[in-house]
Amino acid sequence: MKALAVHPGVRNSVHLADIAEPQLSSVPNGRGVLVQTLQVGLDATDAEINEALYGRAPEGDQHLVLGHEVFGKVLEVGPAVTHLKPGDYCTCTVRRPGPTLYDLIGRNDITSHETYYERGINLLHGYMTQRFVDDAEYMVKVPVGLKHLGVLSEPASVCAKAIEQAYLAQQRLQVWEPKLAFVMGAGQIGLLTTMMLRLKGIQVYTLARTPEPGLKEEILQGYGASYVSTKTTPIGDLVKQVGRPDLIIEATGSSHVAFSAMEHLNLNGALVWTSVTGGKKTLSDFPSDRVNLEWVLGNKLLLGSVNGNRHHFAQGLSDLALGEVMFPGVTSRILTTPIDGYDDPQGLMRELTENNDALKVFVNVSEG
């Protein structure tokens, strides 16, 4: 069976690999689920793994199968599986348990172990294959009515978790009702986060560099949010116009933007970082003394949020469903760049890294 893979640590090594057919019996205790892969989303993580910025192959293998954003159809289930049946649509979580207490209680998304296991990213093969088997514990049913958005399940879970984590952490204040939010970045995570914040009735400004973003701005307007180009209106100027945000969610992939956002947060505010930056950039112009003073005196919060567990996937799907009701037809416009099959690995990566008009690149693996 063909799979899209890389040799971790080797730049631009994406290739087609031959792998064994998945076996339902490979998952113990009758909890296996055999899935036909329908679609797999690609994002900056896949591109950075192909650039050898991070990622490791499973023990004993020389290659890593890519693909962590999966949407599929159940073909067969083990005897202990109760929440899925053949014919159901499904998605899968990404991170798998390690040995810590958090992993043992089902919170492997916040493991405290330095070695982490993520399908298609680190030490576990991904989903860019025709079929795969996984444990039912890590699989979430996708409603038939959301089939057209199924490939957004994983990114939606990232957004849902980031927002949830901010609200949970802000319980420290006893009363926290954010009115104004900035979302840094207008890629898929930024757009979906904007949608979810608008569902909460928060005024949202979504910031990115492009002066005339076209489709991105249309989508944001469809959500009732505002697009701001930082090339024409720097974030400091925006703050002067609308005030300091109670919540900032950063999703740019730029560590410089992540740190710069710290300068503009409101008193008692929360800043959530979601970017994973695999480079070696450093900052020399960051006003650390002033930011340190303002953050301590202003009781401000910074937290990082990565991945999601089953709860976050379910919440993301719930928000996608409500978004379809509140903003009909808007979210599907994020799905700009379908690619039929993965027989051209280099062409696929070029589409992912060089197509500036692409909001969401995803592969149609099969029909179902």
Side-chain angles (χ1 to χ4, degrees), residues 182-322:
F182 288 0
V183 175
M184 311 302 295
Q188 61 170 348
I189 298 298
L191 294 173
L192 291 173
T193 298
T194 298
M195 180 267 288
M196 293 178 185
L197 292 174
R198 289 293 301 132
L199 290 175
K200 291 180 174 291
I202 298 174
Q203 182 181 12
V204 183
Y205 290 86
T206 303
L207 291 74
R209 292 174 296 178
T210 307
E212 296 180 3
L215 178 59
K216 292 181 180 180
E217 186 169 16
E218 292 175 11
I219 292 172
L220 291 167
Q221 289 175 346
Y223 290 143
S226 301
Y227 177 87
V228 177
S229 168
T230 53
K231 282 190 175 181
T232 58
T233 306
I235 185 172
D237 291 346
L238 179 63
V239 168
K240 292 176 182 177
Q241 296 173 17
V242 303
R244 289 190 290 180
D246 306 303
L247 174 64
I248 301 177
I249 296 185
E250 182 280 324
T252 64
S254 167
S255 58
H256 184 273
V257 173
F259 277 90
S260 297
M262 297 179 71
E263 299 183 59
H264 305 287
L265 188 66
N266 201 3
L267 302 177
N268 292 339
L271 167 59
V272 185
W273 286 353
T274 69
S275 291
V276 177
T277 50
K280 297 181 180 180
K281 293 180 180 178
T282 59
L283 296 178
S284 59
D285 58 348
F286 186 69
S288 54
D289 281 349
R290 176 170 60 81
V291 170
N292 181 85
L293 177 67
E294 292 178 354
W295 274 65
V296 172
L297 297 180
N299 292 299
K300 302 180 186 184
L301 173 76
L302 170 64
L303 62 92
S305 179
V306 65
N307 281 318
N309 57 34
R310 285 179 50 85
H311 162 75
H312 302 120
F313 272 74
Q315 183 60 55
L317 288 166
S318 178
D319 287 342
L320 286 174
L322 182 57

Side-chain angles (χ1 to χ4, degrees), residues 83-233:
H83 73 285
L84 290 169
K85 65 182 185 302
D88 285 344
Y89 295 106
C90 65
T91 185
C92 298
T93 63
V94 180
R95 186 167 284 190
R96 295 294 179 268
T100 75
L101 175 62
Y102 299 104
D103 301 296
L104 295 175
I105 64 172
R107 289 306 309 273
N108 33 289
D109 58 307
I110 55 171
T111 183
S112 57
H113 198 247
E114 290 188 2
T115 300
Y116 61 93
Y117 301 86
E118 292 178 335
R119 291 203 61 158
I121 299 174
N122 203 59
L123 297 174
L124 292 173
H125 288 309
Y127 301 109
M128 193 69 82
T129 65
Q130 294 169 299
R131 291 167 295 281
F132 66 88
V133 165
D134 210 339
D135 191 315
E137 172 69 20
Y138 313 118
M139 308 188 74
V140 181
K141 185 176 179 179
V142 176
V144 174
L146 283 182
K147 176 184 176 182
H148 62 299
L149 299 179
V151 75
L152 292 176
S153 299
E154 193 278 337
S157 76
V158 172
C159 306
K161 180 182 177 180
I163 295 169
E164 178 207 63
Q165 294 291 291
Y167 274 81
L168 285 173
Q170 290 294 74
Q171 289 180 6
R172 68 195 176 105
L173 302 174
Q174 296 181 287
V175 177
W176 188 66
E177 297 181 0
K179 304 297 184 184
L180 176 64
F182 288 0
V183 175
M184 311 302 295
Q188 61 170 348
I189 298 298
L191 294 173
L192 291 173
T193 298
T194 298
M195 180 267 288
M196 293 178 185
L197 292 174
R198 289 293 301 132
L199 290 175
K200 291 180 174 291
I202 298 174
Q203 182 181 12
V204 183
Y205 290 86
T206 303
L207 291 74
R209 292 174 296 178
T210 307
E212 296 180 3
L215 178 59
K216 292 181 180 180
E217 186 169 16
E218 292 175 11
I219 292 172
L220 291 167
Q221 289 175 346
Y223 290 143
S226 301
Y227 177 87
V228 177
S229 168
T230 53
K231 282 190 175 181
T232 58
T233 306

